[in-house]
Amino acid sequence: MVRVGIVGATGYAGAELVRILYGHPQADLTIITSRQYAGKPVSSVYPAFKNVIDMVCQEFSINAVCEQADLIFTALPHKIPMEIVPEMVKNGKRVIDLSADFRFNDPEKYKAVYQPHTSEDLMKKAVYGLSEVYFNQIRTTDIVGNPGCYPTSVLLPLIPLIKAGIIDTDTIISDSKSGVSGAGRSPNIGSLYCEASESFKAYKAASHRHNPEMNEVLSCEAGKPVNITFVPHLVPMSRGMLTTTYAKLLQNQDTSEILDCLSRFYKDRPFVRVCPPGSVPSTIHVRGTNYCDIGAVIDKSNNRLILVSAIDNLVKGAAGQAVQNMNIMLEMDETLGLDSVPYPL
Amino acid sequence: MVRVGIVGATGYAGAELVRILYGHPQADLTIITSRQYAGKPVSSVYPAFKNVIDMVCQEFSINAVCEQADLIFTALPHKIPMEIVPEMVKNGKRVIDLSADFRFNDPEKYKAVYQPHTSEDLMKKAVYGLSEVYFNQIRTTDIVGNPGCYPTSVLLPLIPLIKAGIIDTDTIISDSKSGVSGAGRSPNIGSLYCEASESFKAYKAASHRHNPEMNEVLSCEAGKPVNITFVPHLVPMSRGMLTTTYAKLLQNQDTSEILDCLSRFYKDRPFVRVCPPGSVPSTIHVRGTNYCDIGAVIDKSNNRLILVSAIDNLVKGAAGQAVQNMNIMLEMDETLGLDSVPYPL
Amino acid sequence: MVRVGIVGATGYAGAELVRILYGHPQADLTIITSRQYAGKPVSSVYPAFKNVIDMVCQEFSINAVCEQADLIFTALPHKIPMEIVPEMVKNGKRVIDLSADFRFNDPEKYKAVYQPHTSEDLMKKAVYGLSEVYFNQIRTTDIVGNPGCYPTSVLLPLIPLIKAGIIDTDTIISDSKSGVSGAGRSPNIGSLYCEASESFKAYKAASHRHNPEMNEVLSCEAGKPVNITFVPHLVPMSRGMLTTTYAKLLQNQDTSEILDCLSRFYKDRPFVRVCPPGSVPSTIHVRGTNYCDIGAVIDKSNNRLILVSAIDNLVKGAAGQAVQNMNIMLEMDETLGLDSVPYPL
Amino acid sequence: MVRVGIVGATGYAGAELVRILYGHPQADLTIITSRQYAGKPVSSVYPAFKNVIDMVCQEFSINAVCEQADLIFTALPHKIPMEIVPEMVKNGKRVIDLSADFRFNDPEKYKAVYQPHTSEDLMKKAVYGLSEVYFNQIRTTDIVGNPGCYPTSVLLPLIPLIKAGIIDTDTIISDSKSGVSGAGRSPNIGSLYCEASESFKAYKAASHRHNPEMNEVLSCEAGKPVNITFVPHLVPMSRGMLTTTYAKLLQNQDTSEILDCLSRFYKDRPFVRVCPPGSVPSTIHVRGTNYCDIGAVIDKSNNRLILVSAIDNLVKGAAGQAVQNMNIMLEMDETLGLDSVPYPL
């Protein structure tokens, strides 16, 4: 049993962490904190937890968290983690941070997108928590920068094909679509039911903060600079993210070769499901799960590959992958706490 | 381990049975049948099950089912179960039927709502599977008539108060609201996305088939004829059912007395959650769970009690309660297979 | 042509007023105000208006409004109108107020629900703008208190039957269901897409502010005190409201007599559509329109009448009825500006 | 006044035709036909029309239609129009066909996607009804092949830029997203509320029938073969379509030049709204309208243009554009019958 704590437990990703860790057979959730709901039972914020989870949200205190937990999840807006995580690590804690603060290794790149980083040393030691790809590095690190939801859905289908030299990295376009929970629980007008319902829209085209995060990882995997065109969209649904990625094939290949390449790369990774030829994913098939479903189609007339990947933005795109990373760090079965049978609908 | 089978595994309730029983620690799901999808993997019908459940739907055969399972769930349209269940029972099997065929003990009442019953003897032996209320009878029966979704949401809040003599049984009105999955997976125009979305409507007011089912149980509990006014409505959501019930109080009482009465009645029953005063349930708090949340408010100016109950129509209203009944029949912990931590949203 | 102005044009009801009045053949929309968006084009708040309506929201000023408009719509939170409307009336303007401030004639009743009223004289002169019922009084008044959305849907089916002495006024229960736009455009957590979607819930059971408003009108029409039990619910849809009302019949009557009574009462009123026997309304059939559809069913076993009424909460429940009242005040055809052909879906 | 008829009036596009034409100030809707609902009032199929439209659906008869209408809309599955439209034209009627049967001028291309064409002569005379682009040809034709919804949303942003030689036609990718009404009113499982809700998915990637239709038009405009990569997706909403199109710029240009090019091209066309820099469209802003909103963003790091276009798939994508074409054919104001003020939400 590992004692775990969650700092920032009442946002949507935090609440998912509560759900998964509370039900995790090898984790003992000892402390949860919330600035906004300190002193209140988490079940008063999310009544689904009534009679199930009787924990009370605490005001954040570095001492309390470090005393009660050995591994800490931070689910906070960026900029705050870089201020508190160093202290945790100094206390010998292992940390999985769900913000952007430890996703970059290069302070300049972080600064260009966010602000100057105040903990550069730790940033450089952090491992990017894309579980399937950085499995070995995650096992031994003390600090994981958990990937953004968009990067997770973009990178998983692309990396195997880039490593195999199959696609032209100068031609990559990812057109992503996210459910509204991606915008978090803050009450802003754009997230209101009446504004989001019957509304499908693009936003931050070619200027989303997750774009440099993807470029960083893809460049590293390709061994040369990769800049993809990335456009996120908002879908009238609560959970789910689907990304359609386009790239030119370097040679003539057929769909089965692409699918084989993906299947081989992920053959020991339980949470990537490669779709059979002729089939592409839907968000409802991964809702509430830690799966990433990937399908592929080739547009023969343009020799262009079309990749479709689906995740639950709050699970594989946030809390689920974070727990998967914990499992890896603790050398436990990767699927622990994440293996409940999916809902059929 | 008990070997279980599902006859009719690809409707919405059947698929939920597959989900729950496949994950049940003490059940071994050995056979699933489907007329429409015989020969196909259940994961081709519900791709969420990909890589998780590798079972193939079989054509129904009484012999195959009886050979491979000790306890059988039938999730079929009414009229079919009364033709096949007797043979199963004759083979020493225990059966939980999710249709209406074994919910009535009186053939005349069944006939008035459906058609003549062809297995009257068995019908009379069947126990009505409202788990919390008929717990003791369920333990020993071989045949359970699993309640309808509407009756479950109507009966659970009412029965304790009727038994306590608190409400005037001549004044009961239940106004129920169901998600679209209640209409099943058959492709009819009224269940299309474009017809159900932005559409809230009443249907079968005072003429729904579940109305006599409720009256039968309530009359039995009250020891006198009870006829409630029942109006179902359709809500633009997938899962969930909420019932608002109105009844005159026989004496002046306050909300806490009502809530106490409910809490006492259900104190050993883990799946009924009584809301604290001032709070009433929402379907999203029970989505995907086997809970029935119940709240109460008194309209003082009319001395009228308002009860609000929420369930997931496919879980507590169908497959979940069926598995709960199996647990009871097998003298196992009632919550086995049904105790995953609920999703916060 | 009448010059009209809207004070509070960027809330949901205000924006609907903009839509309807801008398209009204006999109204000239000369001024719109908005505290939050002063100085901005209304089409920047609601981009659907791009290239159609080029008006800019102004900061509210009593002088500007009175100079530019002869008839003024106030779509503001209660308490503000009672402070500014008297000045408008003093300037010879006619006012239609969409808040609660001029819905009551009795200051004590208003005070009990809201706060002390600061303009009691005007309040007593105001006419309750339930267009079909108070048609004659509306024609001649200078100040209309436009009804709440819930009262509109509750009162229209009930008043003809109460006046005809058909129902027992001690037994009335109205179970109402509203789309999320009823909560307005303020960014609160309960109105977020992720909180409202897949969520059906009751709220303010027997304690909603519209309940006394209904009682006031019903008592007046019945000639004796009427207190109904009223429970509002929230539906995961943008627009629409459906109310199911229950009441004991005083005599044995059949559905056609009820429907006849309603049809006779509303025979000259174009916006009430009485459903044929066997049919009840759905919100999608009135979406975007000023119609109130009414259906009736009798629960014979309890001699209880079930009335179902549907409106669009933002149109007949707010802006549409307000414009209908303007038409009546100006002795124009009641349907002007409100007669576009409804969308089929 | 022109006498118009609709053949196939009860599908979603047909019903929108009924709505628009019934409210059209210069059209007299004299006959509507429906195979499925012959003999029934259209208001029994779409109760929103109750008390507004009292027309009864008739069984299709070429004689009756030709006798009662001068201009005929056919809203039928492809293959049927090519059998009945020639007879109408022979009778001197002008026809606007909403199927694919008259969208191609080349029989071989039609055959490759659908089946052999049985009316090749007429096919060659037909004009492709993309109103803004083929305005002049539409004025004088007797037979319009009304564009598909996807092609409309893809072609409108692309054509001006292709004609201006701004983009590399070998690099075009269109990623389209459609509401569920695009699938029509036939009851198939994929269109059920429970299957479409919380489900975002791609389908027919690089193999949709609208893809050759787009290629045909783009090749014609470019004066050389153009094959775009096209992937359609299904969005959990009723109405609306948004297309994100990607293409390499041939030179360095900035967003304002792109927007200027679009604005100039459409300066006399009221239904194309070009978004200001920094703003991209949402489907909710065009819901129920005949507008096509277009926005543009440049991904500087890749010198790639991103175009976003939004339409209502049933209006500009079908019935609205058909009526716009009628207006053009009759040399009336293009906006007649299509100019109601849009709903703010």
Side-chain angles (χ1 to χ4, degrees), chain C residues 50-117:
Chain C
K50 264 184 310 187
N51 292 21
V52 180
I53 305 181
D54 59 0
M55 298 183 77
V56 172
C57 299
Q58 301 187 27
E59 193 71 57
F60 171 71
S61 129
I62 188 83
N63 287 344
V65 169
C66 286
E67 250 164 55
Q68 294 174 50
D70 300 316
L71 191 148
I72 301 160
F73 293 85
T74 45
L76 301 163
H78 61 83
K79 199 174 176 188
I80 306 180
M82 66 184 177
E83 287 161 11
I84 61 174
V85 168
E87 194 69 16
M88 295 172 184
V89 175
K90 217 177 291 170
N91 275 271
K93 305 301 166 186
R94 300 178 87 180
V95 179
I96 297 168
D97 176 43
L98 280 77
S99 84
D101 283 5
F102 296 95
R103 292 180 192 157
F104 289 80
N105 288 131
D106 179 344
E108 288 312 305
K109 288 192 177 153
Y110 177 85
K111 183 180 168 185
V113 192
Y114 299 93
Q115 64 271 311
H117 205 288

Side-chain angles (χ1 to χ4, degrees), chain C residues 25-331:
Chain C
Q26 295 294 326
D28 184 11
L29 181 57
T30 54
I31 181 167
I32 60 178
T33 80
S34 167
R35 201 167 37 90
Q36 198 178 351
Y37 297 103
K40 296 194 178 155
V42 67
S43 67
S44 72
V45 187
Y46 294 99
F49 292 157
K50 264 184 310 187
N51 292 21
V52 180
I53 305 181
D54 59 0
M55 298 183 77
V56 172
C57 299
Q58 301 187 27
E59 193 71 57
F60 171 71
S61 129
I62 188 83
N63 287 344
V65 169
C66 286
E67 250 164 55
Q68 294 174 50
D70 300 316
L71 191 148
I72 301 160
F73 293 85
T74 45
L76 301 163
H78 61 83
K79 199 174 176 188
I80 306 180
M82 66 184 177
E83 287 161 11
I84 61 174
V85 168
E87 194 69 16
M88 295 172 184
V89 175
K90 217 177 291 170
N91 275 271
K93 305 301 166 186
R94 300 178 87 180
V95 179
I96 297 168
D97 176 43
L98 280 77
S99 84
D101 283 5
F102 296 95
R103 292 180 192 157
F104 289 80
N105 288 131
D106 179 344
E108 288 312 305
K109 288 192 177 153
Y110 177 85
K111 183 180 168 185
V113 192
Y114 299 93
Q115 64 271 311
H117 205 288
T118 59
S119 180
E120 297 197 358
D121 280 2
L122 201 54
M123 174 192 221
K124 286 174 186 168
K125 284 186 198 147
V127 169
Y128 189 69
L130 191 65
S131 317
E132 282 75 14
V133 177
Y134 301 110
F135 188 89
N136 289 322
Q137 297 91 316
I138 293 165
R139 290 171 76 176
T140 55
T141 191
D142 285 335
I143 164 83
V144 164
N146 212 59
C149 47
Y150 285 122
T152 298
S153 78
V154 166
L155 297 172
L156 285 175
L158 276 174
I159 286 174
L161 304 170
I162 284 179
K163 290 177 92 86
I166 284 174
I167 57 177
D168 178 351
T169 55
D170 289 340
T171 64
I172 303 172
I173 296 169
S174 282
D175 186 291
S176 283
K177 302 88 174 175
S178 172
V180 184
S181 62
R185 206 181 184 228
S186 11
N188 61 69
I189 286 180
S191 301
L192 292 178
Y193 189 91
C194 297
E195 310 282 323
S197 170
E198 288 289 299
S199 165
F200 185 91
K201 65 175 176 187
Y203 70 101
K204 294 192 186 156
S207 61
H208 193 281
R209 281 172 163 176
H210 285 174
N211 201 337
E213 183 182 327
M214 299 166 194
N215 288 345
E216 169 102 326
V217 177
L218 292 173
S219 300
C220 169
E221 294 299 323
K224 60 177 176 182
V226 177
N227 284 299
I228 77 167
T229 296
F230 172 67
V231 180
H233 300 75
L234 202 60
V235 187
M237 62 184 182
S238 282
R239 288 159 167 261
M241 171 171 289
L242 188 135
T243 295
T244 313
T245 294
Y246 304 87
K248 283 283 202 178
L249 289 168
L250 289 171
Q251 296 180 303
N252 280 324
Q253 276 170 309
D254 60 24
T255 310
S256 64
E257 290 174 273
I258 303 297
L259 295 172
D260 283 353
C261 173
L262 290 164
S263 296
R264 270 195 313 273
F265 192 90
Y266 291 118
K267 74 175 177 333
D268 297 324
R269 303 276 63 89
F271 288 122
V272 172
R273 297 190 295 196
V274 177
C275 298
S279 153
V280 287
S282 165
T283 58
I284 204 173
H285 302 150
V286 295
R287 197 178 195 269
T289 80
N290 200 48
Y291 288 108
C292 177
D293 281 5
I294 305 177
V297 176
I298 293 172
D299 174 12
K300 285 284 179 197
S301 67
N302 288 295
N303 201 32
R304 184 176 280 129
L305 175 62
I306 301 160
L307 293 163
V308 185
S309 51
I311 60 171
D312 182 313
N313 56 308
L314 296 179
V315 188
K316 184 62 179 168
Q321 184 155 249
V323 173
Q324 185 182 1
N325 286 330
M326 176 189 82
N327 291 340
I328 295 169
M329 290 164 87
L330 300 173
E331 313 222 355

Side-chain angles (χ1 to χ4, degrees), chain A residues 235-237 282-284 345, chain B residues 12 191-194 238, chain D residues 179-180 189-201 234-237:
Chain A
V235 187
M237 62 185 183
S282 166
T283 58
I284 204 171
L345 75 153
Chain B
Y12 288 149
S191 302
L192 292 178
Y193 188 90
C194 297
S238 281
Chain D
V180 185
I189 285 179
S191 301
L192 292 178
Y193 189 92
C194 297
E195 309 282 323
S197 171
E198 289 289 297
S199 165
F200 185 92
K201 66 175 176 188
L234 202 61
V235 187
M237 61 184 184

Side-chain angles (χ1 to χ4, degrees), chain D residues 294-337:
Chain D
I294 305 177
V297 176
I298 293 173
D299 174 12
K300 285 284 178 196
S301 66
N302 288 295
N303 201 31
R304 186 175 278 128
L305 175 63
I306 300 159
L307 294 162
V308 185
S309 52
I311 60 171
D312 182 315
N313 56 308
L314 296 179
V315 187
K316 183 61 181 169
Q321 184 155 249
V323 173
Q324 185 182 0
N325 286 331
M326 177 189 82
N327 292 340
I328 295 169
M329 291 164 86
L330 300 173
E331 313 222 354
M332 302 189 298
D333 182 327
E334 206 173 330
T335 66
L336 277 188

Side-chain angles (χ1 to χ4, degrees), chain D residues 99-241:
Chain D
S99 85
D101 283 6
F102 296 95
R103 291 181 192 157
F104 290 79
N105 288 131
D106 178 345
E108 288 312 305
K109 288 192 178 154
Y110 177 86
K111 184 180 166 186
V113 192
Y114 299 94
Q115 65 271 312
H117 204 288
T118 60
S119 181
E120 297 196 0
D121 281 1
L122 200 54
M123 174 192 220
K124 287 175 185 166
K125 285 187 198 147
V127 169
Y128 189 68
L130 191 65
S131 317
E132 282 75 13
V133 177
Y134 301 111
F135 189 90
N136 289 322
Q137 296 91 317
I138 292 164
R139 289 171 77 179
T140 55
T141 191
D142 284 337
I143 165 82
V144 164
N146 212 58
C149 47
Y150 285 122
T152 298
S153 78
V154 167
L155 297 172
L156 286 175
L158 276 174
I159 286 175
L161 303 171
I162 284 179
K163 289 177 92 86
I166 284 174
I167 57 177
D168 178 351
T169 55
D170 288 340
T171 63
I172 303 173
I173 297 168
S174 283
D175 185 292
S176 284
K177 301 87 176 176
S178 172
V180 185
S181 61
R185 205 181 185 230
S186 13
N188 60 68
I189 285 179
S191 301
L192 292 178
Y193 189 92
C194 297
E195 309 282 323
S197 171
E198 289 289 297
S199 165
F200 185 92
K201 66 175 176 188
Y203 70 102
K204 294 189 186 155
S207 61
H208 193 280
R209 282 172 164 176
H210 285 174
N211 201 337
E213 182 181 330
M214 299 167 195
N215 289 344
E216 168 101 327
V217 177
L218 290 173
S219 301
C220 170
E221 294 299 325
K224 60 177 176 182
V226 177
N227 284 299
I228 77 167
T229 296
F230 172 68
V231 180
H233 300 75
L234 202 61
V235 187
M237 61 184 184
S238 282
R239 287 160 167 258
M241 171 170 289

